[in-house]
Amino acid sequence: MHLLPEPLFSYPTDDIHMCAFHGTESGRMFLGGKDGAIYEFAYQAQDGWFSRKCRKINHSSSTLSFLVPSFLSLAFTEDDAVLQIAIDNSRHILYARFEKGSIQVFDLGKDGKQMSKVCTLHQHAMVQQASASACTIDKKNFYPVVHISAIEANESKHVHLIAVTQSGVRLYFTTNGSFGDSRPYTLALLHVRLPPGFTANAAVARPSSVHMAYYKRGFLLLASSQTEDNDVIFATSNDSFAFYSQIIETHTTVMLDGHAWAIAEVPADSHVKQTVPSNDSGISCDPPVLVTQ
């Protein structure tokens, strides 16, 4: 394998600052612009009769947008930057998180080769749904959303997206009302889960000023700016209770010497063959890291 010093494809962004990048397992590349649009960097091996080798597609503009002069569209629109893009490769759904707190859902089609906007859930509607589900919790804990994570089909049939707020609250959403394998048509709240420290007799402080998060199969990391100079990492996991019907989690905290700038998983090749059978819902379970006999 050789690293080529020159890029294979390049295309101008037309002075649009790109804030988010994400690709699918099939090779599609999506970008989130500061102008609030979702772009796709489409590429192919050779130039075609009516298409270039690479091009930038705006999936947020309507088919009639070319009829409106650009200076008018800029005058009557307000930028809402795309801060994060998350993709569910199992269901072929794209989610976008915006600077003003809204979340958009795009359907990539059953084959993952299409693109159509499904819906937008604005911040005030999200807060209303969360307040109705957890009416005793202050509404300020339900916004703003600082992280979203797509939940693939091998983890849950019903939950499709998790959103983490600045207070560490997790909001669980579905895109099709949990009706089997139908295509997404909505973004509805299913469950609200509070972080450690919200109970009256909690021995640990609750997270505050969460600015970064990471989620995978029930494991959650929260980067909380407790002081001006240091971050605290809150880690919660349900691995110890993988086969319990109740929702039980363990948690721990780690003090950092500075601020966290990025959280990512280091992949490792596992030679352990998974032999844990699927549960009643047909979802295969990872083996627990701790077993008590």
Side-chain angles (χ1 to χ4, degrees):
M1 180 180 294
H2 300 281
L3 178 63
L4 299 178
E6 298 295 333
L8 294 177
F9 305 100
S10 63
Y11 197 86
T13 61
D14 300 327
D15 296 328
I16 299 174
H17 179 67
M18 298 299 173
C19 305
F21 305 85
H22 207 295
T24 66
E25 292 180 350
S26 61
R28 299 181 69 179
M29 298 175 60
F30 295 96
L31 306 90
K34 190 176 181 180
D35 59 345
I38 300 294
Y39 297 92
E40 181 177 0
F41 183 77
Y43 57 94
Q44 57 189 20
Q46 300 293 334
D47 289 330
W49 285 100
F50 302 101
S51 61
R52 296 182 177 181
K53 185 182 296 185
C54 60
R55 63 191 188 277
K56 177 169 60 70
I57 305 173
N58 188 342
H59 289 293
S60 298
S61 62
S62 64
T63 56
L64 299 178
S65 60
F66 68 94
L67 298 176
V68 181
S70 58
F71 70 91
L72 287 179
S73 60
L74 292 174
F76 291 99
T77 57
E78 189 175 355
D79 286 348
D80 187 11
V82 181
L83 299 183
Q84 185 186 359
I85 295 175
I87 295 178
D88 182 350
N89 287 289
S90 62
R91 299 185 180 93
H92 304 300
I93 304 175
L94 182 145
Y95 306 93
R97 176 174 64 89
F98 290 79
E99 186 176 16
K100 295 182 179 179
S102 61
I103 299 176
Q104 285 187 1
V105 182
F106 290 83
D107 185 6
L108 302 181
K110 288 186 177 181
D111 56 359
K113 299 179 180 180
Q114 306 171 39
M115 184 70 168
S116 61
K117 182 179 177 180
V118 176
C119 66
T120 301
L121 182 62
H122 295 282
Q123 179 175 275
H124 65 87
M126 196 182 314
V127 173
Q128 287 180 352
Q129 293 185 30
S131 299
S133 179
C135 55
T136 60
I137 306 300
D138 190 352
K139 291 183 178 180
K140 294 181 180 179
N141 294 300
F142 301 137
Y143 70 92
V145 173
V146 298
H147 179 80
I148 57 174
S149 180
I151 306 301
E152 297 198 350
N154 60 1
E155 180 178 353
S156 175
K157 283 186 175 181
H158 307 293
V159 179
H160 302 164
L161 180 74
I162 290 182
V164 181
T165 70
Q166 195 175 50
S167 299
V169 176
R170 280 165 285 175
L171 307 176
Y172 294 73
F173 294 93
T174 181
T175 60
N176 59 14
S178 303
F179 293 117
D181 298 328
S182 62
R183 301 310 303 162
Y185 64 86
T186 185
L187 189 62
L189 183 68
L190 291 178
H191 175 64
V192 176
R193 188 172 299 182
L194 303 178
F198 264 81
T199 57
N201 57 350
V204 297
R206 67 180 64 176
S208 61
S209 301
V210 175
H211 61 92
M212 192 179 302
Y214 175 82
Y215 174 87
K216 183 177 181 180
R217 298 189 71 86
F219 177 75
L220 177 70
L221 289 176
L222 300 174
S224 174
S225 298
Q226 301 289 83
T227 65
E228 295 182 358
D229 301 323
N230 303 91
D231 278 358
V232 176
I233 299 296
F234 288 80
T236 62
S237 174
N238 60 358
D239 283 337
S240 301
F241 310 96
F243 301 103
Y244 282 64
S245 58
Q246 300 89 352
I247 300 176
I248 307 175
E249 292 179 324
T250 57
H251 70 272
T252 186
T253 57
V254 178
M255 177 69 73
L256 300 182
D257 294 332
H259 289 292
W261 295 99
I263 300 177
E265 180 183 4
V266 179
D269 295 332
S270 177
H271 301 286
V272 179
K273 184 178 180 181
Q274 179 174 323
T275 59
V276 180
S278 60
N279 54 24
D280 295 337
S281 62
I283 305 299
S284 60
C285 300
D286 287 338
V289 296
L290 176 66
V291 176
T292 302
Q293 184 173 353

